Amino acid sequence: MTENTAPSYPVQRTDAEWRELLTPAEYAVLRQAGTERPHIGEYTNTTTKGVYSCRACGAELFRSDTKFGSHCGWPSFYAPLAEDRVEYVEDNTLGMKRVEVRCANCGSHLGHVFEGEGYDTPTDQRYCINSISMRLTED
Ligand SMILES: [Zn+2]
């Protein structure tokens, strides 16, 4: 039996390194699983074509063509760029049963995924992602 049960991600940094690399606001969301206030994120209503990458490690996570207007206050996608780009973790905090979405490359918190809400999208899933967890590179 090994003592180390923490998931190992391709990108590994110490907490001190993350604090140096990220702004305090980015750190609070990406590394402490915080949530941006709704409707304030820079990408909430963005329709610019491009690729959304992890702000912590640069891994490409979502494409603009799966982004849709959910009106929930956060950028919403119906699918990741590829299933292996993200990791799912059961989240039972705040008295809710949710599924957390993390970057599979560095383990940083991105947001949550919800399904069966009735949105008219190909998957009926809503990846509700914090703007501050991503960086948009225009096509
Ligand atoms: Zn990452």
Side-chain angles (χ1 to χ4, degrees), residues 37-54:
R37 283 185 293 124
H39 303 289
I40 63 154
E42 63 181 300
Y43 301 134
T44 304
N45 297 310
T46 303
T47 55
T48 306
K49 296 219 175 311
V51 176
Y52 289 87
S53 303
C54 175

PDB file of all heavy atoms in Angstrom, residues 37-54:
ATOM      1  N   ARG A  37     -18.183  35.494  -8.839  1.00  0.00           N
ATOM      2  CA  ARG A  37     -19.557  35.972  -8.753  1.00  0.00           C
ATOM      3  C   ARG A  37     -20.180  35.913 -10.149  1.00  0.00           C
ATOM      4  O   ARG A  37     -19.502  36.121 -11.144  1.00  0.00           O
ATOM      5  CB  ARG A  37     -19.599  37.398  -8.202  1.00  0.00           C
ATOM      6  CG  ARG A  37     -19.382  37.421  -6.680  1.00  0.00           C
ATOM      7  CD  ARG A  37     -19.555  38.825  -6.111  1.00  0.00           C
ATOM      8  NE  ARG A  37     -18.499  39.720  -6.582  1.00  0.00           N
ATOM      9  CZ  ARG A  37     -18.714  40.861  -7.225  1.00  0.00           C
ATOM     10  NH1 ARG A  37     -19.943  41.263  -7.490  1.00  0.00           N
ATOM     11  NH2 ARG A  37     -17.712  41.615  -7.612  1.00  0.00           N
ATOM     12  N   PRO A  38     -21.491  35.604 -10.233  1.00  0.00           N
ATOM     13  CA  PRO A  38     -22.115  35.475 -11.554  1.00  0.00           C
ATOM     14  C   PRO A  38     -22.125  36.792 -12.316  1.00  0.00           C
ATOM     15  O   PRO A  38     -22.142  37.866 -11.710  1.00  0.00           O
ATOM     16  CB  PRO A  38     -23.544  35.010 -11.231  1.00  0.00           C
ATOM     17  CG  PRO A  38     -23.772  35.361  -9.798  1.00  0.00           C
ATOM     18  CD  PRO A  38     -22.424  35.295  -9.142  1.00  0.00           C
ATOM     19  N   HIS A  39     -22.113  36.704 -13.619  1.00  0.00           N
ATOM     20  CA  HIS A  39     -22.289  37.830 -14.551  1.00  0.00           C
ATOM     21  C   HIS A  39     -21.117  38.809 -14.593  1.00  0.00           C
ATOM     22  O   HIS A  39     -21.175  39.797 -15.305  1.00  0.00           O
ATOM     23  CB  HIS A  39     -23.590  38.603 -14.260  1.00  0.00           C
ATOM     24  CG  HIS A  39     -24.804  37.734 -14.305  1.00  0.00           C
ATOM     25  ND1 HIS A  39     -25.325  37.214 -15.467  1.00  0.00           N
ATOM     26  CD2 HIS A  39     -25.582  37.235 -13.299  1.00  0.00           C
ATOM     27  CE1 HIS A  39     -26.373  36.460 -15.178  1.00  0.00           C
ATOM     28  NE2 HIS A  39     -26.551  36.447 -13.872  1.00  0.00           N
ATOM     29  N   ILE A  40     -20.053  38.573 -13.831  1.00  0.00           N
ATOM     30  CA  ILE A  40     -18.934  39.527 -13.857  1.00  0.00           C
ATOM     31  C   ILE A  40     -17.750  39.004 -14.664  1.00  0.00           C
ATOM     32  O   ILE A  40     -16.859  39.761 -15.020  1.00  0.00           O
ATOM     33  CB  ILE A  40     -18.429  39.859 -12.430  1.00  0.00           C
ATOM     34  CG1 ILE A  40     -17.882  38.592 -11.739  1.00  0.00           C
ATOM     35  CG2 ILE A  40     -19.519  40.527 -11.603  1.00  0.00           C
ATOM     36  CD1 ILE A  40     -16.854  38.901 -10.688  1.00  0.00           C
ATOM     37  N   GLY A  41     -17.715  37.721 -14.962  1.00  0.00           N
ATOM     38  CA  GLY A  41     -16.568  37.135 -15.639  1.00  0.00           C
ATOM     39  C   GLY A  41     -16.393  37.691 -17.041  1.00  0.00           C
ATOM     40  O   GLY A  41     -17.370  37.990 -17.724  1.00  0.00           O
ATOM     41  N   GLU A  42     -15.142  37.830 -17.468  1.00  0.00           N
ATOM     42  CA  GLU A  42     -14.893  38.470 -18.757  1.00  0.00           C
ATOM     43  C   GLU A  42     -15.401  37.657 -19.944  1.00  0.00           C
ATOM     44  O   GLU A  42     -15.609  38.207 -21.013  1.00  0.00           O
ATOM     45  CB  GLU A  42     -13.395  38.769 -18.915  1.00  0.00           C
ATOM     46  CG  GLU A  42     -12.504  37.543 -18.927  1.00  0.00           C
ATOM     47  CD  GLU A  42     -11.025  37.919 -19.065  1.00  0.00           C
ATOM     48  OE1 GLU A  42     -10.652  38.540 -20.067  1.00  0.00           O
ATOM     49  OE2 GLU A  42     -10.252  37.569 -18.159  1.00  0.00           O
ATOM     50  N   TYR A  43     -15.630  36.359 -19.785  1.00  0.00           N
ATOM     51  CA  TYR A  43     -16.068  35.534 -20.916  1.00  0.00           C
ATOM     52  C   TYR A  43     -17.536  35.108 -20.820  1.00  0.00           C
ATOM     53  O   TYR A  43     -17.995  34.304 -21.616  1.00  0.00           O
ATOM     54  CB  TYR A  43     -15.200  34.277 -21.018  1.00  0.00           C
ATOM     55  CG  TYR A  43     -13.734  34.546 -21.204  1.00  0.00           C
ATOM     56  CD1 TYR A  43     -12.785  33.866 -20.452  1.00  0.00           C
ATOM     57  CD2 TYR A  43     -13.291  35.476 -22.153  1.00  0.00           C
ATOM     58  CE1 TYR A  43     -11.417  34.104 -20.624  1.00  0.00           C
ATOM     59  CE2 TYR A  43     -11.937  35.725 -22.329  1.00  0.00           C
ATOM     60  CZ  TYR A  43     -10.999  35.032 -21.559  1.00  0.00           C
ATOM     61  OH  TYR A  43      -9.666  35.270 -21.733  1.00  0.00           O
ATOM     62  N   THR A  44     -18.265  35.651 -19.854  1.00  0.00           N
ATOM     63  CA  THR A  44     -19.640  35.197 -19.628  1.00  0.00           C
ATOM     64  C   THR A  44     -20.467  35.206 -20.920  1.00  0.00           C
ATOM     65  O   THR A  44     -21.108  34.217 -21.255  1.00  0.00           O
ATOM     66  CB  THR A  44     -20.334  36.072 -18.564  1.00  0.00           C
ATOM     67  OG1 THR A  44     -19.546  36.043 -17.382  1.00  0.00           O
ATOM     68  CG2 THR A  44     -21.731  35.543 -18.241  1.00  0.00           C
ATOM     69  N   ASN A  45     -20.443  36.318 -21.626  1.00  0.00           N
ATOM     70  CA  ASN A  45     -21.278  36.428 -22.832  1.00  0.00           C
ATOM     71  C   ASN A  45     -20.459  36.502 -24.116  1.00  0.00           C
ATOM     72  O   ASN A  45     -20.978  36.875 -25.167  1.00  0.00           O
ATOM     73  CB  ASN A  45     -22.180  37.659 -22.721  1.00  0.00           C
ATOM     74  CG  ASN A  45     -23.141  37.539 -21.546  1.00  0.00           C
ATOM     75  OD1 ASN A  45     -23.813  36.524 -21.390  1.00  0.00           O
ATOM     76  ND2 ASN A  45     -23.174  38.550 -20.692  1.00  0.00           N
ATOM     77  N   THR A  46     -19.187  36.151 -24.023  1.00  0.00           N
ATOM     78  CA  THR A  46     -18.308  36.227 -25.192  1.00  0.00           C
ATOM     79  C   THR A  46     -18.730  35.236 -26.265  1.00  0.00           C
ATOM     80  O   THR A  46     -19.010  34.076 -25.959  1.00  0.00           O
ATOM     81  CB  THR A  46     -16.862  35.908 -24.757  1.00  0.00           C
ATOM     82  OG1 THR A  46     -16.496  36.820 -23.731  1.00  0.00           O
ATOM     83  CG2 THR A  46     -15.894  36.032 -25.914  1.00  0.00           C
ATOM     84  N   THR A  47     -18.775  35.711 -27.529  1.00  0.00           N
ATOM     85  CA  THR A  47     -19.076  34.799 -28.641  1.00  0.00           C
ATOM     86  C   THR A  47     -17.897  34.720 -29.610  1.00  0.00           C
ATOM     87  O   THR A  47     -18.008  34.137 -30.685  1.00  0.00           O
ATOM     88  CB  THR A  47     -20.331  35.255 -29.413  1.00  0.00           C
ATOM     89  OG1 THR A  47     -20.147  36.608 -29.839  1.00  0.00           O
ATOM     90  CG2 THR A  47     -21.569  35.173 -28.528  1.00  0.00           C
ATOM     91  N   THR A  48     -16.774  35.305 -29.214  1.00  0.00           N
ATOM     92  CA  THR A  48     -15.566  35.271 -30.042  1.00  0.00           C
ATOM     93  C   THR A  48     -15.159  33.829 -30.335  1.00  0.00           C
ATOM     94  O   THR A  48     -15.206  32.982 -29.449  1.00  0.00           O
ATOM     95  CB  THR A  48     -14.422  35.971 -29.279  1.00  0.00           C
ATOM     96  OG1 THR A  48     -14.865  37.271 -28.898  1.00  0.00           O
ATOM     97  CG2 THR A  48     -13.170  36.082 -30.136  1.00  0.00           C
ATOM     98  N   LYS A  49     -14.764  33.572 -31.588  1.00  0.00           N
ATOM     99  CA  LYS A  49     -14.330  32.225 -31.941  1.00  0.00           C
ATOM    100  C   LYS A  49     -12.897  31.982 -31.489  1.00  0.00           C
ATOM    101  O   LYS A  49     -12.022  32.816 -31.677  1.00  0.00           O
ATOM    102  CB  LYS A  49     -14.412  32.029 -33.458  1.00  0.00           C
ATOM    103  CG  LYS A  49     -15.829  32.125 -33.997  1.00  0.00           C
ATOM    104  CD  LYS A  49     -16.073  31.090 -35.084  1.00  0.00           C
ATOM    105  CE  LYS A  49     -17.519  31.082 -35.552  1.00  0.00           C
ATOM    106  NZ  LYS A  49     -18.504  31.032 -34.459  1.00  0.00           N
ATOM    107  N   GLY A  50     -12.671  30.830 -30.861  1.00  0.00           N
ATOM    108  CA  GLY A  50     -11.320  30.522 -30.424  1.00  0.00           C
ATOM    109  C   GLY A  50     -11.296  29.342 -29.485  1.00  0.00           C
ATOM    110  O   GLY A  50     -12.269  28.594 -29.357  1.00  0.00           O
ATOM    111  N   VAL A  51     -10.151  29.203 -28.803  1.00  0.00           N
ATOM    112  CA  VAL A  51      -9.940  28.083 -27.886  1.00  0.00           C
ATOM    113  C   VAL A  51      -9.743  28.631 -26.475  1.00  0.00           C
ATOM    114  O   VAL A  51      -8.992  29.588 -26.272  1.00  0.00           O
ATOM    115  CB  VAL A  51      -8.694  27.259 -28.303  1.00  0.00           C
ATOM    116  CG1 VAL A  51      -8.418  26.153 -27.294  1.00  0.00           C
ATOM    117  CG2 VAL A  51      -8.881  26.676 -29.687  1.00  0.00           C
ATOM    118  N   TYR A  52     -10.413  28.017 -25.520  1.00  0.00           N
ATOM    119  CA  TYR A  52     -10.253  28.380 -24.114  1.00  0.00           C
ATOM    120  C   TYR A  52      -9.257  27.424 -23.466  1.00  0.00           C
ATOM    121  O   TYR A  52      -9.445  26.207 -23.479  1.00  0.00           O
ATOM    122  CB  TYR A  52     -11.595  28.289 -23.387  1.00  0.00           C
ATOM    123  CG  TYR A  52     -12.572  29.375 -23.794  1.00  0.00           C
ATOM    124  CD1 TYR A  52     -13.416  29.205 -24.887  1.00  0.00           C
ATOM    125  CD2 TYR A  52     -12.634  30.572 -23.086  1.00  0.00           C
ATOM    126  CE1 TYR A  52     -14.317  30.200 -25.258  1.00  0.00           C
ATOM    127  CE2 TYR A  52     -13.531  31.566 -23.444  1.00  0.00           C
ATOM    128  CZ  TYR A  52     -14.370  31.378 -24.529  1.00  0.00           C
ATOM    129  OH  TYR A  52     -15.253  32.372 -24.894  1.00  0.00           O
ATOM    130  N   SER A  53      -8.198  27.988 -22.895  1.00  0.00           N
ATOM    131  CA  SER A  53      -7.157  27.185 -22.264  1.00  0.00           C
ATOM    132  C   SER A  53      -7.163  27.399 -20.760  1.00  0.00           C
ATOM    133  O   SER A  53      -7.648  28.415 -20.260  1.00  0.00           O
ATOM    134  CB  SER A  53      -5.782  27.590 -22.809  1.00  0.00           C
ATOM    135  OG  SER A  53      -5.756  27.443 -24.204  1.00  0.00           O
ATOM    136  N   CYS A  54      -6.586  26.453 -20.044  1.00  0.00           N
ATOM    137  CA  CYS A  54      -6.442  26.563 -18.595  1.00  0.00           C
ATOM    138  C   CYS A  54      -5.531  27.737 -18.256  1.00  0.00           C
ATOM    139  O   CYS A  54      -4.425  27.837 -18.777  1.00  0.00           O
ATOM    140  CB  CYS A  54      -5.855  25.262 -18.055  1.00  0.00           C
ATOM    141  SG  CYS A  54      -5.491  25.303 -16.291  1.00  0.00           S
TER     142      CYS A  54
END
